Amino acid sequence: MRLKGKKIVLLSENLYQELELWVPYYRLKEEGAEVTVVGTGSSRTYTSKHGYPVDVDKEAKEISMSDYDGIVIPGGYAPDMMRRYPEMVRLVREAHHQGKVVAAICHAGWMLASAGIVKGKRSRASLPLKMTLSTQERIT
């Protein structure tokens, strides 16, 4: 249990990609981490691209990253929804500024750009995401 005692935020919104939320969720728990699923506040349950539900433990406005050790942002279309909520973006920005782990999977790069934490850094993205981000960030 290498993550025993660690507290991780896992962001969620509608249209998340199932494997990009559930695999990190269960792997983190298997390693001993306490995982808190955090939503935008638009619902207490979000549905994946294929209809799988996830219940949130907290809304973004209810937490501070100073109480957590890292944050995971799954992909799918959820990050495009998440970035429309300033409290979700705040969590990503806080985690970065506090030197915490920020894990962004696939389209979660939208959240990194919205939080302003990728500028000046090198990253990878699929062509559609690259086209979206390249106006603000250095993407290869």
Side-chain angles (χ1 to χ4, degrees), residues 95-108:
H96 174 73
H97 290 317
Q98 293 172 18
K100 313 266 172 111
V101 173
V102 178
I105 305 169
C106 199
H107 282 77

Side-chain angles (χ1 to χ4, degrees), residues 85-136:
Y85 292 83
E87 290 297 315
M88 294 289 267
V89 175
R90 173 189 59 81
L91 292 175
V92 174
R93 188 179 300 115
E94 275 183 12
H96 174 73
H97 290 317
Q98 293 172 18
K100 313 266 172 111
V101 173
V102 178
I105 305 169
C106 199
H107 282 77
W110 276 325
M111 285 291 284
L112 302 181
S114 295
I117 64 171
V118 180
K119 193 167 184 83
K121 295 183 174 65
R122 195 175 169 95
S123 58
R124 293 259 184 225
S126 64
L127 184 58
L129 187 57
K130 180 179 177 177
M131 291 169 27
T132 301
L133 300 178
S134 64
T135 58
Q136 298 176 4

Side-chain angles (χ1 to χ4, degrees), residues 5-18:
K6 299 293 183 184
K7 296 170 65 179
I8 306 296
V9 169
L10 179 60
L11 298 183
S12 188
E13 233 302 345
N14 283 321
L15 300 176
Y16 68 88
Q17 203 288 333
E18 298 79 8

